C-alpha cells in the first residue's frame, strides 16, 4: 500500500509540474500571436501595445532606439510605405539565458517581402518586445 501511495504522489507531482510548464509556454506565446496579428493588419497602433517603452528598431540596416511614441510614428510610416498583404511567423523559440523569446517571420507587401525578427523579455512580469527588425529580402 505504501508503494502505491508513493507512485500516486509521484505521478501527481509530475503531472502538475508538466501542466504548469505548459501554461507558462502558452502565456509566453501570447505576445507572438498578438504581434503577428498587428503586423498582418499593418497596425502601428496595435503593435505598440506590445512594445517596451524603449524599443530598438532596425529598418534595412539602420538601427535606432525609440520611445514608444516615436516607434509608433516610424512603424506607421513603414506600414504606409509597405502595406501588408500577409504576415506569418515561421519560427519562434526561447533562449534559456535571460528568458528571452524570439520569433522570425515574413512580412509580405506589394512592394516586396521583409524578414521580421522580434525579441521580447519580461518587464514587470509582462513580455514586451524590446527589439524589432525589418530586413528587405532581395
Amino acid at each position: 500500500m505504501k508503494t502505491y501511495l508513493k507512485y500516486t504522489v509521484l505521478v501527481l507531482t509530475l503531472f502538475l509540474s508538466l501542466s504548469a510548464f505548459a501554461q507558462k509556454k502558452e502565456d509566453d506565446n501570447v505576445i507572438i500571436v498578438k504581434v503577428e496579428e498587428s503586423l498582418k493588419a499593418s497596425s502601428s497602433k496595435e503593435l505598440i501595445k506590445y512594445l517596451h517603452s524603449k524599443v530598438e528598431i532596425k529598418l534595412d540596416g539602420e538601427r535606432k532606439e525609440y520611445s514608444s511614441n516615436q516607434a509608433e510614428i516610424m512603424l506607421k510610416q513603414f506600414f504606409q510605405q509597405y502595406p501588408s498583404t500577409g504576415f506569418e511567423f515561421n519560427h519562434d523559440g526561447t533562449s534559456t539565458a535571460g528568458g528571452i523569446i524570439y520569433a522570425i517571420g515574413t512580412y509580405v507587401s506589394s512592394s516586396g517581402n521583409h524578414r521580421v525578427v522580434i525579441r521580447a523579455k519580461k518587464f514587470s512580469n509582462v513580455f514586451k518586445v524590446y527589439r524589432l527588425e525589418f530586413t528587405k529580402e532581395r
Side-chain angles (χ1 to χ4, degrees):
M1 187 68 176
K2 278 185 166 180
T3 305
Y4 178 74
L5 184 59
K6 284 181 184 177
Y7 284 123
T8 303
V9 169
L10 179 65
V11 168
L12 284 173
T13 303
L14 187 60
F15 176 74
L16 291 173
S17 297
L18 291 174
S19 295
F21 177 76
Q23 182 66 40
K24 181 185 179 304
K25 181 67 175 158
E26 187 177 301
D27 291 344
D28 294 356
N29 288 334
V30 168
I31 190 168
I32 293 172
V33 171
K34 296 297 186 181
V35 168
E36 185 173 46
E37 291 170 357
S38 301
L39 289 167
K40 278 181 186 174
S42 295
S43 176
S44 58
K45 190 172 192 160
E46 276 301 306
L47 186 54
I48 64 157
K49 292 178 183 177
Y50 309 104
L51 302 183
H52 187 254
S53 58
K54 291 287 184 185
V55 61
E56 184 178 297
I57 298 177
K58 180 181 175 185
L59 290 173
D60 292 326
E62 188 175 331
R63 185 181 308 236
K64 289 186 179 179
E65 188 173 281
Y66 298 96
S67 69
S68 56
N69 291 336
Q70 293 170 321
E72 183 177 9
I73 293 167
M74 278 298 289
L75 292 166
K76 185 176 183 178
Q77 291 172 349
F78 176 83
F79 292 145
Q80 286 174 344
Q81 185 176 359
Y82 302 103
S84 173
T85 58
F87 179 79
E88 185 175 356
F89 280 123
N90 308 331
H91 178 74
D92 64 75
T94 305
S95 168
T96 53
I100 296 170
I101 59 175
Y102 63 90
I104 303 167
T106 304
Y107 181 87
V108 181
S109 73
S110 59
S111 302
N113 297 349
H114 284 78
R115 179 176 175 258
V116 177
V117 179
I118 67 160
R119 290 178 182 86
K121 64 182 176 181
K122 281 191 176 179
F123 295 93
S124 302
N125 285 334
V126 177
F127 274 101
K128 293 286 189 173
V129 174
Y130 68 92
R131 185 178 297 162
L132 180 61
E133 300 177 17
F134 292 88
T135 307
K136 188 156 180 127
E137 294 181 350
R138 296 175 188 195

